[in-house]
């Protein structure tokens, strides 16, 4: 059932914001935010606090995207670059865990306080970067309630005929339920960029060549082996080892990977970030999917036979004896090569891909905990783990959001590339900062000329804090004048590998909303917002624009 949180009339006097107008199936507001991600919520909060009316149109029932969908071991990078409402989110997480009642299954003193490149619970700065999924979702719902935001959930854009364009402006869009949303400014804060694409804005899917933007780390990266997510040992890809006539094992491509540095239409692997626990009182045994096929994991068996023992390395601890479990190793939860259709796929096709990823990853967990071909020590320990009973309770304790690491990327007013991320050129019109390494997960699994299996596309290149240009949030002026895109930003594949962190999406969501308000006040295209004025407004809101 669709849930609607309606703005109270009192909000005008409390917050100074205006109420959306509703007539029949037509809903009107100053700003329409499409998406249910962390960026979408923060953008809407900023619009409301700036005194404008706003509606969130969310395809999702749950708010927060990956932040509330299992990614609780936050990719912070340099946390001093995180300001504004993004930092407020992590402050509220800190307030939650500073209360002893939050520690239900575990004593606070038993928690190790380890974060990603930082301590988890930073008392000095009153922030916490590591959290349980339901805690993150509650913080977003608190933002909604406190700002009396109007949300239409489970509302899906009519991607075929739903967007009305007039003189280079979006007038309205229609959802599959028949509702029409009209606004002065629109913000596409989805992972997929559906509103952007349906509005005729230019975008790219896949990897550009290294020549497109004079980059080193873009395109096909055969022979580049970062992290530990590649096959160190020589493993045969064939059903009968060494015999090509026997056929290829599942989940290995027989296509050539492409020339080094060449562009392609492939994207980095997706997975679910798993919230797991080995605390028996809160543990649900891994379910065995109906489509379970142990042969899908034959390559993992061969990997184990080489002696690799690093299966548990990314079971990162979050409070209450839980984990944010991410991929690790050459064969893990990353479902390499099985998501290429996702960015442009129909809703039905995307559902098929998500189901295939669910079956694969659920089957993988079952396999490692139960199959006798798995080394006994790993199998025995894995059997002590399970899903957390008190997370994702309406979805069989399975995350409600797949990790869409990359889908469409706008080709906008300014394209952020690795040259910006690595500070090789000066970034104009900063609206926020990133600081994470340029991080792409594997893109394909192929057969080498020598006849062995190998992965390709996993890149990890460190980067200092860098600014992100306002031009990367806006389309080219000739394409659309009232749209901002804070998630599927204008950037190259490898630059997006750094930008695509949840704190940054929240930062950019707020900055996009501030610009939207300024464009409304002066009745101008988003491309004509005066940057000096925008900079002042952002700094007033404690956004960090440079270091």
């Amino acid at each position: 059932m669709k849930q609607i949180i309606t703005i109270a009339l009192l909000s005008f006097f409390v917050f100074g914001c205006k109420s959306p107008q509703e007539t029949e199936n037509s809903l009107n507001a100053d700003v329409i935010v499409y998406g249910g991600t962390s960026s979408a919520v923060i953008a809407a909060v900023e619009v409301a606090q700036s005194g404008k009316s706003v509606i969130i149109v969310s395809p999702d029932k749950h708010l927060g995207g990956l932040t509330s969908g299992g990614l609780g071991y936050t990719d912070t990078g340099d946390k001093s670059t995180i300001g504004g409402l993004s930092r407020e989110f992590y402050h509220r997480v800190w307030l939650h865990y500073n209360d002893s009642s939050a520690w239900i299954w575990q004593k606070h003193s038993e928690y190790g306080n380890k974060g990603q490149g930082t301590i988890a619970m930073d008392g000095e700065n009153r922030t916490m970067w590591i959290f349980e999924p339901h805690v993150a979702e509650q913080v977003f719902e608190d933002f909604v309630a406190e700002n009396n935001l109007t949300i239409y959930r489970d509302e899906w854009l009519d991607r075929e005929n739903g967007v009305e364009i007039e003189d280079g402006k979006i007038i309205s869009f229609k959802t599959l339920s028949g509702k029409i949303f009209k606004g002065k400014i629109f913000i596409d804060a989805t992972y997929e960029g559906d509103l952007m694409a349906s509005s005729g804005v230019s975008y790219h899917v896949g990897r550009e060549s290294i020549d497109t933007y004079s980059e080193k780390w873009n395109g096909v990266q055969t022979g580049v082996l970062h992290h530990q997510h590649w096959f160190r040992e020589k493993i045969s890809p064939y059903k009968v080892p060494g015999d090509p006539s026997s056929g290829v094992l599942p989940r290995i491509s027989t296509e050539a990977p492409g020339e080094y540095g060449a562009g392609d239409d492939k994207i980095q692997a997706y997975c679910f970030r798993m919230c797991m626990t080995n605390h028996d009182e809160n543990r649900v045994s891994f379910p065995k999917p109906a489509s379970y096929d142990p042969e899908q994991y034959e390559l993992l068996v061969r990997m184990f036979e080489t002696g690799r023992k690093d299966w548990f390395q990314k079971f990162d601890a979050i409070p209450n004896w839980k984990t944010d479990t991410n991929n690790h190793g050459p064969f893990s939860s990353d479902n390499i090569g099985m998501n290429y259709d996702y960015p442009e796929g129909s809703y039905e096709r995307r559902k098929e891909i998500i189901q295939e990823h669910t079956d694969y990853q659920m089957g993988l967990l079952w396999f490692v905990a139960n199959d006798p071909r798995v080394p006994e020590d790993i199998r025995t320990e894995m059997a002590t783990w399970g899903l957390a009973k008190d997370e994702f309770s309406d979805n069989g304790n399975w995350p409600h959001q797949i990790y869409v690491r990359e889908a469409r990327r706008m080709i906008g007013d300014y394209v952020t590339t690795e040259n910006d991320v690595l500070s090789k050129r000066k970034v104009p019109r900063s609206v926020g900062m990133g600081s994470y390494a340029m991080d792409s997960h594997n893109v394909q699994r192929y057969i080498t000329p020598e006849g062995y299996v190998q992965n390709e596309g996993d890149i990890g290149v460190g980067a200092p804090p860098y600014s992100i240009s306002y031009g990367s949030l806006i389309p080219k002026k000739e394409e659309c004048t009232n749209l901002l895109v804070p998630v599927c930003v204008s950037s190259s594949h490898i630059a997006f590998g750094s930008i695509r962190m949840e704190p940054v999406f929240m930062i950019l969501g707020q900055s996009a909303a501030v610009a939207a308000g300024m464009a409304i006040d002066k009745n101008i295209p988003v491309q004509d917002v005066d940057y000096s004025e925008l900079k002042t407004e952002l700094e007033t809101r404690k956004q960090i624009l440079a270091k």
Side-chain angles (χ1 to χ4, degrees), residues 237-289:
Y238 303 114
K239 292 181 179 179
V240 176
D243 181 5
S245 67
S246 65
V248 178
L249 293 177
R251 302 183 184 276
I252 300 173
S253 174
T254 57
E255 295 182 3
E259 295 295 322
Y260 173 83
D264 60 20
D265 59 359
K266 300 180 174 70
I267 56 174
Q268 57 181 305
Y270 296 172
C271 70
F272 290 92
R273 296 289 285 250
M274 303 302 304
C275 186
M276 294 161 49
T277 184
N278 59 1
H279 187 65
D280 286 343
E281 292 180 72
N282 193 37
R283 181 174 65 88
V284 177
S285 296
F286 296 126
K288 185 178 183 180

Side-chain angles (χ1 to χ4, degrees), residues 3-8 11 15 17 33 35-46 48-49 54-58 60-64 85 88-89 92 136-153:
Q3 304 175 47
I4 301 176
I5 301 176
T6 306
I7 294 183
S11 67
F15 296 101
C17 59
V33 178
T37 62
S38 61
S39 185
V41 177
I42 294 301
V45 170
E46 173 56 44
Q49 292 183 355
V54 61
I55 297 172
I56 299 177
V57 184
S58 173
D60 310 304
K61 296 178 182 178
H62 295 273
L63 297 179
L85 288 170
E88 170 67 14
F89 171 86
R92 291 181 177 222
E137 186 171 1
Q138 187 58 56
V139 172
F140 289 121
E141 293 291 355
D142 289 345
F143 273 132
V144 167
E146 292 166 19
N147 292 277
N148 295 295
L149 299 178
T150 297
I151 305 182
Y152 288 83
R153 305 183 197 231

Side-chain angles (χ1 to χ4, degrees), residues 418-440:
E418 73 174 45
N419 298 302
D420 299 278
V421 176
L422 298 177
S423 301
K424 292 182 178 180
R425 65 178 179 181
K426 184 175 177 58
V427 176
R429 299 185 294 170
S430 173
V431 290
M433 298 194 73
S435 65
Y436 204 77
M438 291 189 295
D439 179 43
S440 171

Side-chain angles (χ1 to χ4, degrees), residues 140-315:
F140 289 121
E141 293 291 355
D142 289 345
F143 273 132
V144 167
E146 292 166 19
N147 292 277
N148 295 295
L149 299 178
T150 297
I151 305 182
Y152 288 83
R153 305 183 197 231
D154 198 19
E155 289 286 349
W156 298 79
L157 174 68
D158 179 348
R159 292 161 56 190
E160 298 300 321
N161 305 294
V163 181
E164 181 184 358
I165 305 285
E166 186 176 300
D167 296 328
K169 294 178 63 176
I170 303 172
I171 303 302
S172 67
F173 68 76
K174 183 174 64 175
T175 56
L176 295 180
S177 70
K179 292 182 178 65
I180 297 173
F181 297 89
K182 297 181 178 180
K184 298 173 182 175
I185 300 289
F186 293 80
I187 296 176
D188 185 340
T190 62
Y191 291 123
E192 296 83 6
D194 285 339
L195 178 58
M196 171 192 70
S198 296
S199 301
V201 171
S202 297
Y203 61 88
H204 189 81
V205 176
R207 298 182 286 187
E208 300 89 352
S209 74
I210 56 175
D211 296 326
T212 303
Y213 298 118
S214 298
E215 296 176 298
K216 177 180 180 180
W217 301 108
N218 211 335
V220 176
Q221 295 282 310
T222 45
V224 178
L225 303 171
H226 294 175
H227 299 116
Q228 298 297 318
H229 310 317
W230 52 282
F231 291 94
R232 296 193 297 254
E233 297 78 13
K234 295 179 179 180
I235 296 177
S236 176
Y238 303 114
K239 292 181 179 179
V240 176
D243 181 5
S245 67
S246 65
V248 178
L249 293 177
R251 302 183 184 276
I252 300 173
S253 174
T254 57
E255 295 182 3
E259 295 295 322
Y260 173 83
D264 60 20
D265 59 359
K266 300 180 174 70
I267 56 174
Q268 57 181 305
Y270 296 172
C271 70
F272 290 92
R273 296 289 285 250
M274 303 302 304
C275 186
M276 294 161 49
T277 184
N278 59 1
H279 187 65
D280 286 343
E281 292 180 72
N282 193 37
R283 181 174 65 88
V284 177
S285 296
F286 296 126
K288 185 178 183 180
S291 62
Y292 178 70
D293 174 12
E295 295 308 309
Q296 296 298 313
Y297 312 105
E298 177 64 32
L299 185 58
L300 177 61
V301 172
R302 295 188 187 183
M303 187 196 82
F304 282 140
E305 288 174 347
T306 69
R308 286 194 73 150
K309 293 288 187 179
D310 52 350
W311 178 256
F312 298 99
Q313 188 160 325
K314 287 300 292 177
F315 283 41

